[in-house]
Amino acid sequence: GQQVMQIPQYQHVQEGEDFTTYCNSSTTLSNIQWYKQRPGGHPVFLIQLVKSGEVKKQKRLTFQFGEAKKNSSLHITATQTTDVGTYFCAGYNNNDMRFGAGTRLTVKP
Amino acid sequence: GAVVSQHPSRVICKSGTSVKIECRSLDFQATTMFWYRQFPKQSLMLMATSNEGSKATYEQGVEKDKFLINHASLTLSTLTVTSAHPEDSSFYICSAQTGSVPEAFFGQGTRLTVV
């Protein structure tokens, strides 16, 4: 079945440094979604990428979908303490949605 | 955005008892609902997928007789943890999808503690 791998598992950065998390699917995806889960909270939808090679930006966050629609990345520029949490990718294909393991980001002020 | 309400948010139960968790889509019809379990500081683990009016599809390794899922209507799905044991203590989250939008809307989660 479909598998979604996400790395790294943990990332600790100094405030102001950049951060990137990567997702790779074993199968071609219809779309990929990104979620953020704050400590103690539930996952909240950030964005969806559908097109091959698509790049979307939300302020300091940049999301990319690979040309083969099998991988994706989330990049945060100049992290802030408000960015802490776990970022999950979720690959969607044929009514099957699979989450990556998540990358837990901590930011040192 | 769409709202999914999950209840209760926290529950403590005695070993051997059963606990029911409700997941409601408040302003949309959820054709599909997902139930996840999340261990501390770990990823979401899909337990089962349920479509309204049909039996849930359980992931490998998830006991369907222990985790009973009922998706009786387009706005309500329930997860019942039967004969709970301390190892069932976890954070359970539901999510719901409509047929037209693949985005998943999550409930707030239920922290289950079995003592």
Side-chain angles (χ1 to χ4, degrees):
Chain A
Q2 175 185 314
Q3 291 187 357
V4 176
M5 308 297 292
Q6 187 173 356
I7 57 169
Q9 190 174 2
Y10 302 98
Q11 187 78 58
H12 179 70
V13 300
Q14 190 78 34
E15 188 173 23
E17 291 181 341
D18 293 354
F19 159 77
T20 306
T21 174
Y22 301 90
C23 264
N24 191 57
S25 169
S26 59
T27 59
T28 302
L29 302 169
S30 299
N31 66 68
I32 194 160
Q33 301 170 14
W34 285 91
Y35 293 81
K36 178 183 179 180
Q37 185 177 19
R38 294 182 184 275
H42 61 277
V44 173
F45 176 80
L46 292 178
I47 208 162
Q48 174 179 287
L49 304 172
V50 180
K51 298 177 182 177
S52 170
E54 188 170 16
V55 178
K56 286 188 176 180
K57 292 191 176 186
Q58 289 180 350
K59 296 183 181 179
R60 293 177 295 104
L61 278 61
T62 302
F63 304 85
Q64 291 188 324
F65 201 10
E67 295 290 340
K69 299 182 73 172
K70 295 180 72 173
N71 57 72
S72 180
S73 64
L74 158 59
H75 179 81
I76 302 178
T77 304
T79 55
Q80 301 175 358
T81 54
T82 52
D83 294 326
V84 297
T86 301
Y87 294 84
F88 293 97
C89 63
Y92 189 86
N93 191 36
N94 291 333
N95 288 326
D96 186 22
M97 188 173 182
R98 299 284 162 161
F99 280 81
T103 297
R104 186 162 165 248
L105 173 65
T106 54
V107 180
K108 185 177 180 181
Chain B
V3 178
V4 174
S5 175
Q6 187 173 340
H7 178 81
S9 57
R10 291 178 184 274
V11 59
I12 301 173
C13 71
K14 291 185 178 180
S15 205
T17 62
S18 295
V19 173
K20 180 184 283 189
I21 302 170
E22 291 188 350
C23 184
R24 292 180 184 273
S25 57
L26 298 185
D27 52 1
F28 68 99
Q29 292 186 329
T31 52
T32 306
M33 285 192 173
F34 302 90
W35 286 95
Y36 297 87
R37 182 173 180 176
Q38 188 176 35
F39 293 98
K41 299 179 182 179
Q42 293 190 26
S43 178
L44 299 169
M45 184 191 79
L46 180 64
M47 297 175 67
T49 303
S50 75
N51 294 293
E52 185 266 338
S54 61
K55 290 184 178 180
T57 302
Y58 289 82
E59 294 298 299
Q60 193 173 7
V62 178
E63 298 176 59
K64 61 180 181 180
D65 294 331
K66 180 168 185 61
F67 298 100
L68 301 178
I69 291 172
N70 187 324
H71 192 165
S73 76
L74 284 171
T75 59
L76 174 65
S77 177
T78 60
L79 165 67
T80 302
V81 183
T82 63
S83 186
H85 291 285
E87 56 265 31
D88 298 325
S89 299
S90 191
F91 192 57
Y92 294 87
I93 305 178
C94 68
S95 72
Q97 291 182 321
T98 70
S100 56
V101 179
E103 175 185 345
F105 302 98
F106 285 83
Q108 301 92 329
T110 298
R111 174 77 58 193
L112 170 63
T113 304
V114 184
V115 297

